[in-house]
């Protein structure tokens, strides 16, 4: 399958149409942004890591009963996916306090929760992705009640599968963001990406950060952190 016209260029990926209207090609860039685009940079090799990692995890999730947009990895940076209508919600699951949770509620990072939490933000760059709850999502007609229920169920399932999987790699899945989309028949599937850009991943023994926080917080070792996650995923 070949790229035809570019449909969209986002902060981390480009999306292209193909000859098949039901499919598109996502192309992963090395560009990195944080704080709603205020901080910009490049992480060499990130596009390759994020593309291959996302594809591997999406295939694992499919096997575990979570429907996804994944169709076929075309190259190191390009993947064929089912074209979806994105539900404009960022779905965030947390297992351990970190980032905005720690900041909002005035707690330290690293508190392990008894149960995972879920929260939504409205995917809207102009408004700065404001937090909202499921009632707000219904009021704004971002999704139906049934869709919100499906999304919650799938997001917790993703957490179960990925938490167990990352544990086998010596990685603690602290938190992550998911996006879901609608197929033409209305089926909700997992879309976008699952990568060190969208997850907090800590080494299980040392708590070393192996994710985009190294970029956000100018910690150094950003490329090496992405490479380390990739190495563990590839079983090296
Ligand atoms: P952003 O839009 O936040 O800058 P990206 O650079 O990752 O993010 O751009 C990729 C865009 O493609 C996102 O808006 C995402 O919601 C969208 N997207 C992801 N998967 C699909 C899909 N299967 N079909 C259509 N759009 C998708
Ligand atoms: N996240 C993301 N995109 C966003 C916001 C958050 O991928 O636009 C991910 C982030 O990488 C982390 C989780 O969602 O794994 C929770 O992020 P948080 O709310 O703590 O926000 P942050 O501190 O990153 O601003």
């Amino acid at each position: 399958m070949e790229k035809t016209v570019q449909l969209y260029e986002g902060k981390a990926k480009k999306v292209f149409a193909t000859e098949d209207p039901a499919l598109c090609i996502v192309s992963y860039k090395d560009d990195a942004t944080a704080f709603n685009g205020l901080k910009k940079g490049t992480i060499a090799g990130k596009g390759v890591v994020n593309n291959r990692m996302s594809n591997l995890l999406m295939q694992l999730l499919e096997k575990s009963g979570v429907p996804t947009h994944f169709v076929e990895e075309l190259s190191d940076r390009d993947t064929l996916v089912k074209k979806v209508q994105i539900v404009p919600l960022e779905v965030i699951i947390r297992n351990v306090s970190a980032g905005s949770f720690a900041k909002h509620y005035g707690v330290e990072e690293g508190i392990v929760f008894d149960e995972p939490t879920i929260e939504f933000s409205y995917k809207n760059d102009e408004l700065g992705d404001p937090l909202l709850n499921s009632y707000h999502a219904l009021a704004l007609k971002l999704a139906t009640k049934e869709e919100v229920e499906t999304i919650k169920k799938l997001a917790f399932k993703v957490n179960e599968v990925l938490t167990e999987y990352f544990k086998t790699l010596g990685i603690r899945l602290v938190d992550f963001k998911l996006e879901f989309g609608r197929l033409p028949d209305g089926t909700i599937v997992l879309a976008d990406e699952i990568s060190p850009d969208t997850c907090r991943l800590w080494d299980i023994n040392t708590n070393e950060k192996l994710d985009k926080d190294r970029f956000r917080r100018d910690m150094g070792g950003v490329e090496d952190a992405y490479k380390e996650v990739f190495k563990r995923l590839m079983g090296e």
Side-chain angles (χ1 to χ4, degrees):
M1 193 70 65
E2 302 278 318
K3 294 173 190 166
T4 57
V5 292
Q6 182 174 309
L7 299 174
Y8 177 78
E9 175 160 10
K11 298 184 286 288
K13 301 190 284 299
K14 292 179 183 177
V15 184
F16 296 90
T18 67
E19 305 96 79
D20 184 339
L23 300 175
C24 54
I25 292 174
V26 288
S27 188
Y28 285 72
K29 308 189 285 182
D30 286 349
D31 299 350
T33 62
F35 314 117
N36 200 20
L38 279 177
K39 184 179 169 77
K40 288 194 176 73
T42 306
I43 302 174
K46 172 172 87 80
V48 176
V49 172
N50 288 9
N51 180 43
R52 299 197 50 199
M53 172 169 172
S54 269
N55 294 342
L56 198 141
L57 297 180
M58 296 262 180
Q59 289 173 85
L60 171 71
L61 289 164
E62 285 276 357
K63 277 190 220 139
S64 313
V66 177
T68 79
H69 71 166
F70 177 79
V71 178
E72 187 191 353
E73 186 169 284
L74 300 175
S75 72
D76 268 1
R77 287 179 186 271
D78 290 358
T79 294
L80 187 66
V81 298
K82 292 175 192 162
K83 186 174 180 180
V84 301
Q85 183 188 43
I86 291 285
V87 176
L89 292 172
E90 298 202 334
V91 182
I92 293 169
I93 297 273
R94 301 176 192 270
N95 297 303
V96 178
S97 66
S100 69
F101 183 95
K103 199 170 155 213
H104 282 148
Y105 303 118
V107 295
E108 72 213 69
E109 294 200 311
I111 301 166
V112 179
F113 304 151
D114 292 339
E115 296 285 335
T117 67
I118 189 163
E119 72 208 42
F120 300 105
S121 21
Y122 180 17
K123 191 174 148 62
N124 183 320
D125 281 339
E126 270 164 48
L127 299 176
D129 298 341
L131 267 174
L132 43 64
N133 66 33
S134 48
Y135 294 93
H136 298 136
L138 297 184
L140 292 167
K141 297 193 168 33
L142 306 182
T144 67
K145 212 168 180 168
E146 292 70 31
E147 286 175 336
V148 170
E149 284 314 307
T150 303
I151 286 171
K152 279 187 190 162
K153 227 169 43 203
L154 291 175
F156 283 121
K157 177 73 185 173
V158 169
N159 187 44
E160 275 174 33
V161 174
L162 295 190
T163 296
E164 280 313 304
Y165 179 65
F166 278 117
K167 212 183 274 173
T168 68
L169 308 179
I171 290 173
R172 189 200 302 257
L173 180 60
V174 170
D175 58 31
F176 56 94
K177 182 265 301 179
L178 300 175
E179 291 181 25
F180 292 87
R182 300 177 187 99
L183 295 179
D185 71 357
T187 310
I188 293 284
V189 300
L190 181 63
D192 205 48
E193 66 176 277
I194 310 175
S195 72
D197 274 12
T198 64
C199 302
R200 285 196 170 92
L201 305 168
W202 295 358
D203 181 273
I204 226 161
N205 297 311
T206 65
N207 282 335
E208 187 192 357
K209 296 187 197 308
L210 299 172
D211 56 59
K212 196 171 153 188
D213 269 349
R214 303 199 76 88
F215 169 79
R216 292 190 191 100
R217 301 178 187 189
D218 295 318
M219 296 170 74
V222 186
E223 277 91 359
D224 285 346
Y226 280 72
K227 272 191 220 144
E228 176 62 26
V229 173
F230 190 59
K231 217 172 78 183
R232 294 192 196 187
L233 284 163
M234 295 300 134
E236 290 163 21

